Amino acid sequence: HQTTDGKGTYANLGASIYGILELPGRQGLLGRLRADAMVGTPPEQATLRLGGIYRGSRGYESDAARSDIFRTIATLEHRHAFFTGARINFWGGLMWTRMEGAFFANATFLPGHDTDCASPAFYDVGYGLRFIGDVLNISPAAIVLDVGLPLNPCAKRSEHQPVTVYLSFLQSLSGF
């Protein structure tokens, strides 16, 4: 990859592992560990982020801190289903079938980050909702809402938000 300022020869290597312990009453504990490493000279937009909904800590904004070295994220979630097997139809285009919630805690190790924070460790907690169903008969689709709170707020901007909200829509086209 090349960019206009000369940086850009790089690679991002990542791996993750997770496990789910089923609990009674449509509940479970999820543990996940993810590690990413950068090789080369990536442009800023390609570096490893502290915050984010999928590969970051959900209690931090996506640009709160970045590193071009290494990132490790450990996550613990208590997942629970409010209901499953429903068939709530919204005008034929959306069928809502399941609603889940999750308490989460993340610990992120981000050495060499671009902030004035003394520690490379960041911690956050929060709660998320998953609205799962079909969109135009394509399943699964999910609307995801996560609200996170950083436990050690530290960012490269002084106006870091005290609460972070991530809203996303996921659609898998492999199951229709």
Side-chain angles (χ1 to χ4, degrees), residues 19-145:
I20 299 175
L21 173 64
E22 290 187 35
L23 301 174
R26 297 182 308 204
Q27 300 180 75
L29 289 177
L30 175 126
R32 178 176 37 231
L33 182 64
R34 178 172 182 86
D36 295 284
M38 298 295 298
V39 178
T41 55
E44 183 181 10
Q45 68 267 25
T47 56
L48 301 169
R49 298 174 183 208
L50 170 61
I53 192 167
Y54 303 113
R55 294 185 180 176
S57 288
R58 292 168 277 183
Y60 294 91
E61 296 173 64
S62 63
D63 63 345
R66 291 174 179 262
S67 174
D68 60 0
I69 301 172
F70 184 77
R71 174 186 62 199
T72 301
I73 301 171
T75 300
L76 181 63
E77 292 184 3
H78 174 259
R79 294 183 173 187
H80 46 279
F82 290 107
F83 61 83
T84 61
R87 306 232 5 116
I88 304 168
N89 191 342
F90 292 94
W91 307 283
L94 171 67
M95 181 73 68
W96 186 17
T97 59
R98 181 179 180 99
M99 182 176 163
E100 300 175 351
F103 292 100
F104 61 83
N106 299 304
T108 304
F109 181 69
L110 190 70
H113 56 76
D114 59 354
T115 73
D116 294 332
C117 305
S119 173
F122 299 86
Y123 307 96
D124 66 289
V125 295
Y127 188 77
L129 290 173
R130 309 289 182 267
F131 303 93
I132 302 166
D134 304 342
V135 175
L136 300 175
N137 258 353
I138 301 173
S139 174
I143 297 171
V144 178
L145 174 67

